[in-house]
Amino acid sequence: MLEDIKISRAIIGRYSEDLINSLESDVAIVGGGPSGLTAAYYLAREGLKTVVFERKLSTGGGMWGGGMMFNQIVVQDEALSIMNEFGIRYKMFEEGYYTANSVESVAALTLGAVRAGAQIFNLISMEDIMVRGNQFVGLVLNWTSVDIARLHVDPLSVQCKVVLDSTGHEAKVTNKLVEKMGAVLNTTNGSLVGEKPMWAEQGEAATVENTREVYPGVFVSGMAANATCGGHRMGPIFGGMLLSGKKAADLIIEKLKNR
Ligand code: 48H
């Protein structure tokens, strides 16, 4: 016999366990798009306690829709080793241009991150940062539904050793740092440089180049790296996002090892 109340108890109990267990982590990743998921995989695989907070119902960010809803993505040679690592199938279109199904890509990145040990929470938005003096110490979270309904409900906080801003074009974490703390960032102008117009080749290179620690304990990846440090957009080519996620993970692993 199935008891309805037991189903509720199981869900509330398990979820609460996971959330309480995530109140303190090594790395909190804000945004479960391609760069955040890639980083989550490599960080968790290294044994770091990694938690991803994703605002939407589904992970994958801007990857689902491929280019203008044609659900294919393009990747270049440099990113094929990461595609292989996640078991994402691809086909050569022309030399140097490979296509993959965007739905398979999101599913594989998500499963890879989870199986590596990352904890993913969907439907939770980062609404602020937590600091001690000038030091970044954690994130302030709320249900996305609270934000959408514009309800005046106070948030909860989580602590982490480092945060990765993988929020895409909006660069939510670095924006908060500048807006609320007047933080001086490790960028060319010390502040948010901003995203530039479409230029795939430059944008892809910049995405990886811009992936860095922009403030003590605060890293940026993917389009958030370009929005923060300045870089062209690149349309539906995703190799740079995967490479950026891996670079972010490598930098964070290095930092936490040396602590
Ligand atoms: C929790 C949040 C919050 C928040 C946002 O946009 P994304 O896919 O990010 P990337 O950088 O991994 O990939 C970028 C790529 O998708 C893209 O947009 C490209 C290649 N554009 C090129 C072009 O020319 O336009 O994912 C970011 C994720 C999303 O899932 C958001 O919902 C999530 O971050 N997010 N999660 N709290 N405050 N803000």
Side-chain angles (χ1 to χ4, degrees):
M1 194 187 70
L2 282 173
E3 286 182 44
D4 301 76
I5 197 93
K6 273 200 186 162
I7 297 171
S8 302
R9 187 171 290 126
I11 286 173
I12 296 167
R14 283 279 186 258
Y15 188 91
S16 302
E17 241 174 57
D18 286 344
L19 193 55
I20 287 170
N21 188 40
S22 300
L23 290 179
E24 290 173 276
S25 63
D26 292 319
V27 190
I29 298 177
V30 186
S35 74
L37 290 172
T38 306
Y41 167 82
Y42 286 106
L43 288 162
R45 202 186 62 165
E46 203 60 27
L48 292 171
K49 190 171 173 189
T50 305
V51 55
V52 180
F53 297 105
E54 166 52 49
R55 179 174 62 181
K56 296 203 175 136
L57 182 56
S58 48
T59 52
M63 206 180 214
W64 292 103
M68 219 176 99
M69 294 194 195
F70 294 82
N71 69 355
Q72 293 284 323
I73 58 162
V74 169
V75 288
Q76 60 276 52
D77 288 306
E78 294 86 333
L80 293 185
S81 59
I82 302 178
M83 298 287 280
N84 292 335
E85 179 81 18
F86 282 92
I88 304 170
R89 296 169 299 174
Y90 50 83
K91 283 188 210 154
M92 189 194 277
F93 182 69
E94 270 179 31
E95 197 156 329
Y97 298 80
Y98 302 83
T99 59
N101 179 277
S102 67
V103 176
E104 175 178 346
S105 302
V106 171
L109 291 174
T110 306
L111 187 63
V114 171
R115 291 243 167 107
Q119 178 76 56
I120 301 181
F121 291 99
N122 57 343
L123 297 166
I124 292 185
S125 295
M126 183 229 61
E127 68 165 54
D128 208 341
I129 50 173
M130 179 164 64
V131 297
R132 293 291 177 270
N134 285 332
Q135 202 188 335
F136 168 86
V137 293
L139 298 171
V140 177
L141 306 172
N142 216 327
W143 303 116
T144 302
S145 48
V146 165
D147 183 34
I148 292 171
R150 301 176 143 271
L151 300 175
H152 187 167
V153 177
D154 273 338
L156 292 173
S157 308
V158 295
Q159 202 173 305
C160 52
K161 292 178 186 155
V162 306
V163 65
L164 175 61
D165 185 345
S166 306
T167 59
H169 298 267
E170 294 173 274
K172 283 288 178 74
V173 181
T174 56
N175 269 281
K176 276 287 172 217
L177 271 170
V178 171
E179 174 200 315
K180 286 217 162 168
M181 294 174 67
V184 177
L185 305 179
N186 174 22
T187 62
T188 50
N189 65 4
S191 190
L192 298 158
V193 181
E195 186 184 301
K196 298 181 189 161
M198 184 83 89
W199 185 354
E201 188 170 347
Q202 291 282 322
E204 284 293 89
T207 306
V208 180
E209 174 66 29
N210 288 333
T211 300
R212 65 178 85 145
E213 187 171 21
V214 287
Y215 189 79
V218 180
F219 291 75
V220 288
S221 71
M223 281 315 293
N226 287 341
T228 303
C229 304
H232 289 271
R233 65 186 302 190
M234 69 299 293
I237 180 160
F238 280 82
M241 300 303 138
L242 305 182
L243 291 162
S244 165
K246 170 140 190 353
K247 180 180 173 188
D250 290 343
L251 294 173
I252 292 169
I253 290 164
E254 193 55 36
K255 179 178 173 99
L256 293 184
K257 252 198 253 161
N258 292 331
R259 255 166 87 108

